Amino acid sequence: MSDRELDMLSVQIRDFLMDKVSRTGGHLASNLGVVELTIALHRVFDSPKDRILWDVGHQSYVHKILTGRAGEFDRLRKLGGMSGFPKREESPHDVYDAGHSSDSISVALGIAKGRDLKQEDFNVITVIGDGALTGGIAYEALNNAAASKGKMIIIINDNQMSISPNVGGVARHLSRLRVSYAYTEMKKKIRAGLKGKGSFGEGLYRSLEKARDAVKYTVFDRSMFENLGFKFYGPIDGHDISELTDFLEAAKRSDESVILHVVTKKGKGIRTVEENSGKYHGVGPFDPVTMKSSKEKSVTYSDVFGSRITEMAERDSRITAVSAAMIDGTGLTEMQERFPDRVFDVGIAEQHAVSFSSGLALQGLRPFTAVYSTFLQRAYDEIILNICMQKLPVVFCIDRAGNVGEDGETHNGQFDLSYLCHMPNMTVMAPSDNKELEAMMEYALKLSSPCAIRYPRGKVHERNRELREIDGKCEIVKKGGRVVIIAAGKCLWQALKAEEILSGRGIECGVVNAVFVKPLDEEGLLKAAEGAELVVTLEDNVITGGFGSMVNRIFAEKSSHPPVINIGWPDAFVKNGKTEELEKIYGLDGESVADRIMKEL
């Protein structure tokens, strides 16, 4: 296709994305920003022979369109439908299952070295956003790649954003490189003019390259990437297909690894999205004309957390908040506006966020570290050694815990209870409603040891009751009968639904809100189960090593106890779909819980 035809294709793709994503929800702004870059990549390289990797992967929609999957977008992120991230089982064009940030250079380098060992011939290209360059894994990989002879092409997709605006020294460094755009624009005009002179112009342009670089570096600092030893091109206009094609062809011809600094605009082509790219990073269904959400706005657990921590910070100057590039997503915007010096966005660097929080705690401050459950997994070692071993009073506010629905297996937070509860000195709580979350935050502030509060994505359950002081005890919501259901967190509501169904079938059932996952209120739970024929645990976590496992232990230690069954997510990676649909499939909804209990009885 000609450059003109490809420009028209870019417009068509943006129209297609707006139409489809407005119906299904998904990642909008990031994909609008890489349309021309993706077209140029597939113009120059031969996928799937050449391996194109996408860091994080939420910006791979255009890649999916160009590799034969446009017809699957009506079922994007739906149950049984196409994932919003690259998935090897979907297509040979998806090189690896992405979903988390900053690891694509490591994977690409491994592929390149494997290629060389097997004496194969193909290109390895990775696209990594500068938001991902706030993650330490990227620099471990760059350090290794600089010393390696395995040729690869690294494209820095510099849109000045991750979800929120990028922070830190790397973002400032890339900003300084962007200043050389005036030089780049002049260079483009010279190249265009010389190319018009045929082979003579081409030869003259190539002969000027060394002189060009000498002039450039008298005006602008060498990039950190060049200082590491990489061949470096940029900044390059990420919305000019012709220019992108030229630089990608040059990188393809090179015998050594190349880094291309490509400047793009997140949300490109849709003014509302460009101006509010953070808001439109990940969206639910919306009206493509008004750009308003199709869903009614509801109060979320993140909202409750954000309001409460701001209120607590007003009266306690020790309180600080730490986020890993998720200020808005975790509800910290209000506190950041009110106390900008006490809210720290450390970038996409969860390991650093945890270690940084330990330093704050060592200074007598009380950090509340707000991180999505799936991303906190990356800081497992730091939680154990830097926090728990030293018994530091850091409060982990774990958002998006349990199943998160349409984002699928890379984003589900279904493992945190399992990996936190075996850590010495750690207290773990799970709120069932808004008031309980607030009470847990107050309780955590009084502790002199680590604490984790895990709560789900989405609408908060609101109970009209006074703020009940948390005291280490479980809550007997309904006194028991033949069956006692012990629920953790939001699963209390499925337990109450199951109790209602069983009551209609003539089976008396008690319901207990665990409140504390660790340490368990052993005395309270054993007392609640007295006289029961069956005890059922219910959790929004994998069964393996989770809440149910801990309950099993306290009952197993008694010489006489009722049988215990555990209901939770299976030992598997749960794919994308609405949470309600998935709970039904895996037996976590109220009706399924009631049926399971009937079967056991």
Side-chain angles (χ1 to χ4, degrees), residues 470-482:
I470 299 295
D471 56 3
K473 304 296 183 183
C474 63
E475 178 190 12
I476 308 300
V477 180
K478 186 180 183 301
K479 289 190 176 180
R482 291 181 64 191

Side-chain angles (χ1 to χ4, degrees), residues 174 206 225 262 421:
L174 290 172
R206 285 194 296 271
F225 307 105
V262 176
C421 285

Side-chain angles (χ1 to χ4, degrees), residues 4 29 54 59 145 171 193 227 240 252 265 370 448 520 572 576 585:
R4 174 61 181 160
W54 300 91
Q59 77 283 46
N227 287 331
D240 183 329
K252 185 178 180 179
K265 179 73 173 175
S448 57
L520 287 172
N576 45 283
I585 290 171

Side-chain angles (χ1 to χ4, degrees), residues 33-51:
V34 296
V35 174
E36 289 83 5
L37 174 58
T38 311
I39 289 173
L41 280 168
H42 281 284
R43 185 187 204 185
V44 172
F45 297 101
D46 180 19
S47 177
K49 178 188 175 184
D50 292 327
R51 313 297 162 81

Side-chain angles (χ1 to χ4, degrees), residues 364-532:
L365 298 173
R366 300 305 301 268
F368 282 69
T369 304
V371 184
Y372 289 8
S373 174
T374 184
F375 301 138
L376 188 61
Q377 295 164 183
R378 312 179 88 187
Y380 177 85
D381 182 62
E382 285 72 22
I383 300 172
I384 291 179
L385 298 183
N386 295 2
I387 307 295
C388 291
M389 190 178 75
Q390 302 184 60
K391 204 175 181 180
L392 294 176
V394 174
V395 182
F396 293 100
C397 303
I398 306 175
D399 206 326
R400 271 65 165 182
N403 185 270
V404 298
E406 290 91 344
D407 280 338
E409 58 260 70
T410 55
H411 283 56
N412 283 327
Q414 63 193 47
F415 305 107
D416 53 80
L417 292 183
S418 300
Y419 68 74
L420 289 172
C421 285
H422 62 237
M423 297 184 183
N425 299 323
M426 176 69 81
T427 297
V428 183
M429 297 179 283
S432 61
D433 61 36
N434 55 326
K435 294 296 185 182
E436 212 159 60
L437 173 55
E438 293 176 342
M440 288 175 178
M441 293 172 68
E442 298 285 355
Y443 178 86
L445 186 60
K446 298 173 185 176
L447 295 175
S448 57
S449 55
C451 180
I453 307 170
R454 57 106 67 177
Y455 42 92
R457 179 183 192 175
K459 184 178 179 180
V460 71
H461 289 280
E462 297 186 79
R463 276 203 274 184
N464 296 320
R465 59 172 179 167
E466 294 299 317
L467 188 62
R468 185 176 72 90
E469 185 175 351
I470 299 295
D471 56 3
K473 304 296 183 183
C474 63
E475 178 190 12
I476 308 300
V477 180
K478 186 180 183 301
K479 289 190 176 180
R482 291 181 64 191
V483 179
V484 172
I485 306 175
I486 306 173
K490 76 163 197 174
C491 289
L492 174 63
W493 304 98
Q494 285 98 326
L496 288 170
K497 178 64 176 177
E499 184 276 328
E500 180 185 351
I501 294 170
L502 290 169
S503 178
R505 297 175 183 176
I507 298 172
E508 189 178 354
C509 181
V511 177
V512 180
N513 175 20
V515 183
F516 282 79
V517 178
K518 183 190 178 184
L520 287 172
D521 176 14
E522 297 188 11
E523 182 181 349
L525 295 180
L526 288 169
K527 187 174 180 180
E530 286 180 354

Side-chain angles (χ1 to χ4, degrees), residues 547-582:
F547 168 66
S549 297
M550 299 187 67
V551 174
N552 292 347
R553 178 187 57 79
I554 66 171
F555 279 95
E557 290 175 356
K558 301 300 175 182
S559 58
S560 177
H561 63 84
V564 182
I565 63 169
N566 305 134
I567 298 177
W569 296 103
D571 182 18
F573 292 103
V574 178
K575 296 186 181 297
N576 45 283
K578 291 185 181 298
T579 296
E580 297 78 12
E581 296 173 325
L582 294 166

Side-chain angles (χ1 to χ4, degrees), residues 158-232:
D158 178 8
N159 58 22
Q160 307 175 54
M161 296 282 286
S162 45
I163 293 176
S164 304
N166 283 316
V167 296
V170 178
R172 287 195 297 272
H173 178 71
L174 290 172
S175 294
R176 287 196 296 272
L177 292 177
R178 276 183 231 117
V179 172
S180 63
Y181 238 139
Y183 158 79
T184 305
E185 289 301 306
M186 176 187 71
K187 183 182 68 176
K188 283 171 63 177
K189 291 177 181 178
I190 293 173
R191 183 174 68 227
L194 289 175
K195 280 191 172 182
K197 305 296 184 181
S199 58
F200 170 76
E202 288 279 1
L204 180 59
Y205 181 78
R206 285 194 296 271
S207 70
L208 288 173
E209 281 188 327
K210 290 185 179 180
R212 175 201 69 189
D213 288 341
V215 172
K216 177 180 177 181
Y217 295 130
T218 63
V219 182
F220 305 107
D221 292 337
R222 292 175 68 89
S223 79
M224 59 180 284
F225 307 105
E226 288 169 296
N227 287 331
L228 279 171
F230 289 98
K231 194 167 187 177
F232 181 83

